[in-house]
Amino acid sequence: MNPQHRMIVPPCAEAGAPSPVVATGRPLKWGVIATGGIASKVTQDIALLEDAVLHAVSSRSADSAAAFADRFGFATSYGNDGGMAGYQRLVDDPEVDVVYITTPHGQHYDVAKAALTAGKHVLCEKPFTINAAEAEELAAIAADGGLFLMEAVWTRFLPSVNRAWEIIHSGELGDIRWVQADLGFTAPEDPTSRLWDPAAGGGALLDLTVYPLTWALGSLGFPDSVSAVGTLNSDGVDLQNAVTLGYGSGAHAQLSSSFIASCPGQATVCGSKGWLKTGGGNLHNPTELTIKAGQEEARVEHFEQAGAGYTYELREVTRCIQEGLTESPTMPIGDTVKTMRLLDGVRAQIGLRYANDAA
């Protein structure tokens, strides 16, 4: 297996590492932008870190921001005021060290650009942006400012997933020849939901595919060829898609994501000597791995985690900022840019376009 395909294990996921909630340096003051469901989940894990301070939260609605601040114990909150967006007021707060962006996808570029321009380190939810051009510009701004920037693909930091990479690249399964990964659920079509709103970057591809793709990248690296099919609704938003990645070695990966089908949410990695399958939850947060190699009986490895599992990603962000790093070796910004280019190519094949593409 080519070692360049191996994702770097973050310190928090190494065998014998202390709990990710344990402090690794000076406290950081966090600002959380937007107050939706993912913001609530991740904020609970931010609060677990010994060296994290919940300083500020923003929303378009001052009332919503204030309620969120009261619920989680933020020191202050910001809503839209006098023509200034709540997120702009937050990034202008000199006390904020790092911001976590949880707005709908279509707003990631504008919000992240405002934060970086204001001198803040940034953790931005996936998908990082709508397209590669936006990602490239943000990466350049961060580099020019010496600021930390990372896409929040939390799966890369989980001990269970890093154990999978260890098994895959140890040779126990032989040469990896095939990867299959899927993620999908039935989401009633609702034009008011961000899932179905073209302006928000709605659709299964941008919302879900990063997780199946993570298993392909961790097992085989970035592909040599990409082919895709998809089904779009009348608003031009993709209902589901299937992506096949090809590799010069002859290996391939088959990835699918859907808003109209309930899927197992599993990843299977197959090699010349055996296979590995995720379990105990969806592929983005597995708590079990089943391994069958050679003539041995299949074994199951079990994993426990701190908090809801976001703590590992948050520990890595914190560690990197404390140590003066501008990107995580586990989730480098170059991987994010290449991922957005790959997704741009998929969108071109299935006819999926967004307003951001015309900017």
Side-chain angles (χ1 to χ4, degrees):
M1 183 64 63
N2 191 329
Q4 71 176 341
H5 296 160
R6 177 71 186 270
M7 290 183 181
I8 296 175
V9 179
C12 60
E14 292 178 345
S19 168
V21 307
V22 175
T24 51
R26 67 178 178 87
L28 298 180
K29 292 184 177 181
W30 285 78
V32 174
I33 297 177
T35 56
I38 187 62
S40 297
K41 292 178 182 179
V42 176
T43 294
Q44 292 180 74
D45 274 11
I46 296 175
L48 296 177
L49 272 59
E50 295 175 348
D51 43 2
V53 177
L54 297 178
H55 178 71
V57 61
S58 72
S59 176
R60 289 175 297 178
S61 164
D63 289 343
S64 177
F68 196 93
D70 288 343
R71 178 183 173 191
F72 293 105
F74 284 85
T76 190
S77 64
Y78 297 100
N80 292 0
D81 182 64
M84 181 176 287
Y87 73 78
Q88 186 65 58
R89 297 178 67 206
L90 183 147
V91 301
D92 287 343
D93 184 334
E95 294 294 310
V96 173
D97 295 310
V98 53
V99 300
Y100 168 54
I101 299 171
T102 77
T103 62
H105 319 328
Q107 301 170 22
H108 286 179
Y109 166 76
D110 288 336
V111 177
K113 184 175 181 179
L116 293 169
T117 301
K120 308 303 182 187
H121 303 293
V122 172
L123 172 65
C124 183
E125 264 304 331
K126 56 79 193 167
F128 187 65
T129 51
I130 293 295
N131 55 46
E134 292 180 339
E136 290 165 357
E137 183 177 348
L138 293 178
I141 294 171
D144 288 345
L147 296 166
F148 179 84
L149 177 63
M150 192 181 90
E151 182 181 15
V153 184
W154 63 304
T155 301
R156 288 200 182 200
F157 301 91
L158 296 171
S160 59
V161 173
N162 281 277
R163 172 59 178 154
W165 303 153
E166 180 182 19
I167 294 167
I168 289 165
H169 293 282
S170 71
E172 182 178 2
L173 306 181
D175 295 328
I176 304 304
R177 306 256 171 89
W178 178 69
V179 176
Q180 186 278 329
D182 66 83
L183 189 60
F185 57 91
T186 302
E189 285 200 52
D190 177 2
T192 67
S193 166
R194 68 165 184 84
L195 298 179
W196 300 111
D197 181 3
L205 181 72
L206 293 190
D207 204 73
L208 300 178
T209 303
V210 67
Y211 294 124
L213 179 61
T214 294
W215 282 93
L217 299 184
S219 302
L220 293 165
F222 281 92
D224 297 306
S225 65
V226 179
S227 61
V229 293
T231 302
L232 309 185
N233 68 8
S234 59
D235 292 326
V237 172
D238 70 299
L239 305 171
Q240 64 181 9
N241 57 79
V243 179
T244 299
L245 309 181
Y247 295 83
S249 65
H252 65 273
Q254 295 176 315
L255 317 175
S256 58
S257 59
S258 178
F259 280 164
I260 57 174
S262 181
C263 302
Q266 291 184 327
T268 304
V269 180
C270 301
S272 57
K273 297 179 181 178
W275 52 264
L276 174 152
K277 180 179 290 187
T278 63
N282 282 327
L283 78 172
H284 53 69
N285 186 23
T287 58
E288 296 177 0
L289 297 174
T290 301
I291 303 99
K292 176 70 170 70
Q295 301 304 312
E296 299 293 327
E297 291 291 324
R299 71 179 189 274
V300 180
E301 298 187 10
H302 301 273
F303 302 85
E304 295 183 357
Q305 62 187 23
Y310 302 103
T311 47
Y312 302 92
E313 167 188 77
L314 297 167
R315 170 53 54 208
E316 176 70 355
V317 171
T318 301
R319 179 191 73 85
C320 289
I321 294 172
Q322 289 167 339
E323 296 181 6
L325 303 180
T326 57
E327 61 182 332
S328 165
T330 302
M331 186 70 238
I333 198 64
D335 277 15
T336 291
V337 170
K338 286 193 286 187
T339 295
M340 294 313 305
R341 289 173 182 159
L342 188 155
L343 294 176
D344 282 357
V346 170
R347 291 200 294 117
Q349 291 186 46
I350 67 175
L352 179 60
R353 289 188 56 79
Y354 295 102
N356 298 48
D357 298 326

